[in-house]
Amino acid sequence: MSVSSTETASLQPAPLAPTTPASSSPEIQSLSIKDVADEDRELAGKIKVEANKAFTSHNFTTAVKLYSEAIQLNPGDATLWSNRAAARTKLEEYGFALADASKAIDVNPKYAKAYYRRATCYLQLAKPQMAVLDFKKVLALEPRNDTVRAQLTATQKLVRKIEFEKAIEMEEEKSAVEQCLEIIGEGNCEVESDYTGPRMQKSEDGKFTITQGFVTQMLDWFKEGKKIPRRFAWEIVLGAHAQFIKEESLVQINLGEGETCDVIGDVHGTFASLNLAMNESHGSVIGQFYDLLHLYSLTGVPQADHYLLMNGDLVDRGSWSIEVILIAFAYKWLYPNRMFINRGNHEAKEMNRTYGFEGEAKKKHGEQTYKLFAHVFTTIPLATLVSATEKPKNVNPKTILSPNGLKRYFVVHGGLFSKDDVTLDDVRKIPRIGRQPGQEGLMCELLWTDPQEAPGRGPSKRGVGISFGPDVTRAWCALNGVTGIIRSHEVRQDGYAVEHEGLCTTASQSPSSTVFSAPNYVDQAGNKGAYIRIDASGDLKYSQFEAQPHPPLKPMAYAMGGLANLMM
């Protein structure tokens, strides 16, 4: 079994079992096995060849479409379901991919690759115990598959590690913040004597302080591939923590005359884009450090008339997550009333364990540093309401305004809810500190849900949360007097997308838009990055940028041992 390519061999039709996972693709439930005409089987094979070409060209959306066409012609070919699962995994549609892999197993219970695909989906969904069962199925069918045997061993180690950490957490009484402050107070976290990089200054009371000069020097230090001392990293995280705990779960930003706010989507540990954003942007960065640098160069740093709002997923997947999060937290400490951060689904323990941040933090600054980050992530607010203070421009009869007749935007990493009556005040009151998002509830939905084209609500393509339609968006915005929702969480080829009814030609009149700031996501997607600028009248301006060159360090270089390739 080749574990890195799509299958090309065809199978004869086989009976399908009646059950499918709850988050199955809509078309799965409408398909049934039938006698397949020779011409349909032949045409499906030709379409599969084109789908495989799209897959190898990283055009995964087209691949899904073509595999779906082939499945309609020949639903008894397990390779089609398995290949579509692989393409959907690349699109992070893990719930749908899991359903496709399960369907391939229903079609052919001896098809090893389908079990492998499903194991990959379970790992992506932070369910390694289930992945172990499927890896064992593969080895039962292919006992000489050493690659899968190694992955099974790595997954079993992960399961034992999770169980051990849970037991340890039950015994710990002090938070990681308290532990770090105690270690500092005892003099056990001093700056190394041979350190020659940028240094923090101390105030009259002997405590370290943050300055723009230090942050600028730290950026340059990071670009040279060097790291700051653990003590400075702790000071930055603790400084940001002191600001986060003052904020409610829903933060309020009021844009006065001449003020702007840049919203940055996922950056995922990409450093170069952050620099570009600091000169112009908004979105998701997920550890893409060199892209983050570029982004900051576009948005500029926070200042008296300019806010920055990073909309979650600053870490994981990219291999410079520590640099990305330290820079963002440093700006939060330095400019607490101009730099704002929303929590994303990757600012969570289960995701960090799977997608690399835990390994990176421990490698660069030690286990206690990771524990500190893990706790401080729980203090990050869940959403931000950005409100204009000037009379709106570019309105039409469908534009939704606040009770004061002004535009305002609900900025959140994921999206809306599984019920209709959630208010802004409900979001503001969500208890978050010390808590993980979980698999259900308001916090989970804020961080995980996605828009869908169909009205109403549907199962999540990711396997966590739900999908919500344009009618749900409009009803929620009308209930809360919100002009639109700005969210991240998903790759967009142009860096952003205006969705849900496309009320007019301007994004400011759309009830829902997505912004994603990690260009060429995990060095594969080929997408642009983008950020959004909101002005004092509530108008939106979208800006795009391309990926930046970076050193030859692969994405997810610090992911859990032996499993990094499965997570990309």
Side-chain angles (χ1 to χ4, degrees):
M1 178 188 66
S2 170
V3 298
S4 60
S5 62
T6 51
E7 183 62 68
T8 57
S10 180
L11 298 176
Q12 294 300 315
L16 285 176
T19 58
T20 60
S23 59
S24 63
S25 309
E27 68 269 24
I28 285 182
Q29 300 171 6
S30 64
L31 284 174
S32 61
I33 294 299
K34 58 184 179 181
D35 291 335
V36 178
D38 290 342
E39 56 268 28
D40 286 345
R41 187 177 294 108
E42 181 179 357
L43 180 56
K46 292 179 179 179
I47 294 173
K48 180 169 66 174
V49 171
E50 296 304 311
N52 290 348
K53 289 179 181 178
F55 185 96
T56 56
S57 299
H58 291 179
N59 192 345
F60 303 120
T61 300
T62 298
V64 167
K65 178 177 180 293
L66 290 170
Y67 287 132
S68 298
E69 292 177 6
I71 286 170
Q72 290 287 343
L73 293 166
N74 187 12
D77 185 341
T79 67
L80 297 175
W81 296 99
S82 180
N83 286 6
R84 191 171 71 174
R88 283 178 157 165
T89 297
K90 294 292 186 180
L91 294 171
E92 300 188 3
E93 297 178 353
Y94 305 127
F96 286 176
L98 184 68
D100 280 350
S102 296
K103 183 61 71 173
I105 292 168
D106 287 343
V107 171
N108 182 2
K110 294 185 178 182
Y111 186 29
K113 184 168 285 189
Y115 291 103
Y116 182 84
R117 300 278 190 231
R118 193 167 68 178
T120 301
C121 292
Y122 281 131
L123 284 173
Q124 301 278 8
L125 292 168
K127 297 179 179 180
Q129 297 90 341
M130 301 297 293
V132 165
L133 298 177
D134 277 339
F135 282 141
K136 287 182 176 180
K137 281 282 191 180
V138 175
L139 290 175
L141 294 167
E142 299 183 358
R144 295 184 179 181
N145 194 321
D146 292 336
T147 299
V148 173
R149 190 173 302 279
Q151 291 166 343
L152 170 62
T153 299
T155 306
Q156 289 171 324
K157 288 181 179 179
L158 175 63
V159 171
R160 291 194 293 270
K161 177 175 179 287
I162 293 170
E163 293 172 349
F164 175 76
E165 289 176 350
K166 286 181 178 178
I168 293 296
E169 286 177 3
M170 294 295 290
E171 298 174 2
E172 293 181 346
E173 296 181 358
K174 296 180 180 178
S175 74
V177 168
E178 293 173 310
Q179 292 171 5
C180 288
L181 289 173
E182 187 175 282
I183 293 170
I184 290 171
E186 294 171 349
N188 293 324
C189 187
E190 298 301 310
V191 177
E192 294 83 353
S193 59
D194 59 349
Y195 173 67
T196 60
R199 287 185 173 270
M200 288 183 174
Q201 301 301 309
K202 287 188 176 181
S203 60
E204 293 181 356
D205 60 4
K207 294 182 178 180
F208 283 111
T209 60
I210 189 81
T211 64
Q212 179 61 58
F214 172 80
V215 177
T216 300
Q217 293 172 20
M218 183 173 66
L219 279 167
D220 293 337
W221 190 250
F222 285 161
K223 283 190 285 186
E224 294 177 16
K226 300 176 181 179
K227 64 180 184 179
I228 60 174
R230 181 178 63 162
R231 175 61 180 274
F232 289 169
W234 284 15
E235 293 289 346
I236 290 170
V237 179
L238 291 168
H241 169 264
Q243 303 306 322
F244 290 140
I245 59 175
K246 298 175 185 177
E247 297 174 335
E248 296 180 303
S249 291
L250 176 62
V251 171
Q252 174 75 48
I253 296 176
N254 296 316
L255 296 177
E257 182 180 359
E259 293 181 339
T260 57
C261 176
D262 284 343
V263 180
I264 299 170
D266 301 41
V267 292
H268 281 296
T270 54
F271 182 49
S273 289
L274 179 54
N275 192 31
L276 176 59
M278 279 304 207
N279 288 327
E280 305 182 12
S281 76
H282 302 296
S284 168
V285 290
I286 300 208
Q288 300 192 202
F289 178 59
Y290 286 85
D291 292 313
L292 185 60
L293 287 180
H294 183 48
L295 182 58
Y296 279 168
S297 73
L298 297 176
T299 59
V301 301
Q303 48 194 302
D305 61 352
H306 183 59
Y307 297 82
L308 283 185
L309 171 54
M310 302 193 73
N311 197 26
D313 279 13
L314 282 74
V315 301
D316 280 338
R317 294 195 178 273
S319 295
W320 292 275
S321 291
I322 282 290
E323 290 79 3
V324 167
I325 197 66
L326 285 176
I327 292 167
F329 278 11
Y331 277 119
K332 181 61 182 177
W333 184 15
L334 180 60
Y335 303 111
N337 299 316
R338 289 295 182 271
M339 177 70 173
F340 294 92
I341 301 173
N342 286 338
R343 189 177 184 181
N345 65 302
H346 277 266
E347 279 74 53
K349 280 187 176 181
E350 285 190 345
M351 304 302 283
N352 296 160
R353 182 186 295 121
T354 302
Y355 291 95
F357 180 68
E358 177 182 337
E360 181 181 348
K362 290 180 178 179
K363 175 73 172 179
K364 293 179 178 178
H365 292 289
E367 183 171 357
Q368 186 61 36
T369 303
Y370 171 68
K371 290 182 178 180
L372 178 62
F373 273 115
H375 178 75
V376 173
F377 284 166
T378 73
T379 69
I380 298 174
L382 305 177
T384 302
L385 190 66
V386 182
S387 300
T389 60
E390 296 182 356
K391 184 178 179 179
K393 309 170 186 175
N394 303 318
V395 298
N396 66 28
K398 290 187 176 181
T399 302
I400 300 171
L401 301 176
S402 73
N404 296 326
L406 302 172
K407 289 184 177 180
R408 60 181 184 177
Y409 298 91
F410 183 70
V411 185
V412 64
H413 182 71
L416 295 181
F417 312 98
S418 57
K419 56 183 181 179
D420 292 326
D421 57 351
V422 178
T423 65
L424 294 174
D425 199 44
D426 291 331
V427 176
R428 189 174 290 111
K429 294 177 180 178
I430 294 174
R432 70 183 192 279
I433 296 177
R435 303 191 180 196
Q436 298 299 320
Q439 298 285 312
E440 59 183 14
L442 295 184
M443 186 193 304
C444 170
E445 291 169 354
L446 285 166
L447 274 53
W448 275 98
T449 59
D450 295 298
Q452 64 180 23
E453 293 181 5
R457 295 178 174 88
S460 168
K461 61 189 177 186
R462 300 174 188 270
V464 182
I466 61 157
S467 296
F468 58 96
D471 56 328
V472 174
T473 299
R474 174 158 289 282
W476 187 86
C477 288
L479 173 67
N480 289 281
V482 168
T483 305
I485 299 164
I486 297 175
R487 41 94 59 185
S488 303
H489 197 36
E490 294 183 273
V491 177
R492 290 292 184 259
Q493 286 304 115
D494 292 326
Y496 72 94
V498 177
E499 301 163 287
H500 280 186
E501 295 181 345
L503 295 182
C504 202
T505 57
T506 60
S508 62
Q509 294 173 350
S510 170
S512 180
S513 58
T514 296
V515 60
F516 195 85
S517 303
N520 194 27
Y521 184 46
V522 294
D523 290 350
Q524 292 186 9
N527 61 291
K528 295 179 181 179
Y531 63 92
I532 306 171
R533 178 160 292 175
I534 309 173
D535 65 20
S537 67
D539 280 354
L540 306 183
K541 177 184 177 182
Y542 293 86
S543 296
Q544 300 168 297
F545 59 94
E546 300 285 352
Q548 299 298 298
H550 61 72
L553 184 62
K554 292 182 178 180
M556 297 189 61
Y558 302 95
M560 50 192 179
L563 298 176
N565 289 336
L566 290 180
M567 314 311 293
M568 292 174 56

